[in-house]
Amino acid sequence: MPLFQTIQFNETTKILIWEITESFEELYSRVTLKEKTQRRLDGMKSQMHQRAFLSVRMLIQEMGFTDKDLHYDEFGKPYFDCHNYISITHSYHFAAIIISHETVGIDMELQREKIIRIGDKFTDYESEYLDPSSKEEYIKKLTVIWGAKEAIFKIRNEKGISFKDHINVNDFSLKKSQTEASLHFDNLIKDFNVHYEEIKSDNFEGKFTLVYAFEK
């Protein structure tokens, strides 16, 4: 399938979303991989994971880059050898990237009831404004919070950061698309702008939440 959605956030920031409907063979035939990437692909046991991995390469190509331009640091954080920052996510039948001149992180999650069971493992500060009595809203808000913390973790990518203890997401409304968050870790305090929106496909029953964060 072609590109599912493009979001031009500002002059220097673009988000691209790919809906993974192609077979492994079709995706593989449309990308050129360097040797190191090919070894990573060969080591993946799940074909869904392989297809998501290849879809990310398709998205990079959409932006005029190639697999040779994409690198990973010692912590697994992706980067380009240029002024652009990149962050990557995939969830079920979607893959997405954000490319920006700013420091950014992105996450995409399927909205699932399961998140209620693990909510107390990644929320503390947020429990002051969360309302479990409205189940649908509770699931959606928890998914935004998880996505925000995942995106921020991708930006900082430091060992020892706890979603529950070190990252706080400010209260927000599902009717809007932006909130703020902060990271308090060791002697470090960082603030972030967080943006979120719902993604729905005609080819998949569930709803997804896309979250991306910018370091202030």
Side-chain angles (χ1 to χ4, degrees):
M1 182 175 177
L3 194 62
F4 178 78
Q5 187 176 352
T6 300
I7 302 167
Q8 186 73 51
F9 181 78
N10 58 31
E11 289 184 2
T12 64
T13 304
K14 185 178 279 191
I15 299 131
L16 286 81
I17 304 171
W18 192 277
E19 186 174 12
I20 311 165
T21 58
E22 304 87 349
S23 67
F24 170 84
E25 290 76 18
E26 185 179 353
L27 288 167
Y28 187 69
S29 69
R30 295 169 65 185
V31 298
T32 301
L33 305 179
K34 59 190 176 189
E35 186 178 341
K36 187 175 183 180
T37 305
Q38 183 66 56
R39 289 198 301 269
R40 281 190 66 190
L41 181 68
D42 293 341
M44 295 176 185
K45 296 179 180 178
S46 163
Q47 192 175 99
M48 190 66 231
H49 193 186
Q50 289 179 318
R51 290 163 66 206
F53 187 77
L54 292 172
S55 296
V56 169
R57 270 71 201 163
M58 295 293 295
L59 290 170
I60 290 168
Q61 289 179 179
E62 290 279 344
M63 287 294 294
F65 295 94
T66 71
D67 181 57
K68 290 183 179 180
D69 300 314
L70 183 65
H71 309 283
Y72 294 85
D73 66 16
E74 60 183 309
F75 303 107
K77 184 176 181 177
Y79 68 93
F80 289 130
D81 286 326
C82 63
H83 55 272
N84 283 298
Y85 291 92
I86 181 171
S87 185
I88 295 168
T89 185
H90 43 79
S91 179
Y92 293 88
H93 299 283
F94 283 108
I97 63 171
I98 186 169
I99 294 179
S100 178
H101 290 186
E102 302 176 63
T103 310
V104 291
I106 193 170
D107 189 54
M108 193 169 185
E109 300 287 341
L110 174 64
Q111 296 171 13
R112 296 186 293 170
E113 193 172 320
K114 175 184 177 183
I115 200 167
I116 294 174
R117 300 200 302 271
I118 62 169
D120 62 349
K121 297 185 184 302
F122 65 90
T123 61
D124 183 21
Y125 168 85
E126 297 80 14
S127 60
E128 295 179 8
Y129 63 77
L130 285 169
D131 180 12
S133 66
S134 176
K135 189 175 181 180
E136 184 179 358
E137 180 175 309
Y138 188 43
I139 290 170
K140 289 185 177 186
K141 281 203 163 188
L142 283 173
T143 308
V144 171
I145 291 165
W146 172 269
K149 296 190 178 194
E150 184 70 43
I152 289 166
F153 181 77
K154 287 179 179 180
I155 292 173
R156 297 307 309 183
N157 208 28
E158 296 180 43
K159 187 177 180 180
I161 291 176
S162 161
F163 282 19
K164 180 173 183 173
D165 299 328
H166 301 136
I167 305 175
N168 297 334
V169 179
N170 290 356
D171 193 5
F172 59 95
S173 167
L174 292 172
K175 294 178 182 179
K176 298 183 178 180
S177 61
Q178 182 177 357
T179 187
E180 295 179 335
S182 58
L183 170 68
H184 304 257
F185 181 62
D186 290 341
N187 296 320
L188 178 72
I189 299 176
K190 288 285 184 180
D191 294 317
F192 302 85
N193 287 320
V194 175
H195 302 265
Y196 50 91
E197 62 182 270
E198 194 169 84
I199 304 293
K200 181 76 173 70
S201 165
D202 293 335
N203 299 316
F204 196 81
E205 287 186 9
K207 294 179 181 178
F208 290 77
T209 298
L210 177 73
V211 187
Y212 43 103
F214 297 85
E215 185 173 321
K216 290 187 179 181

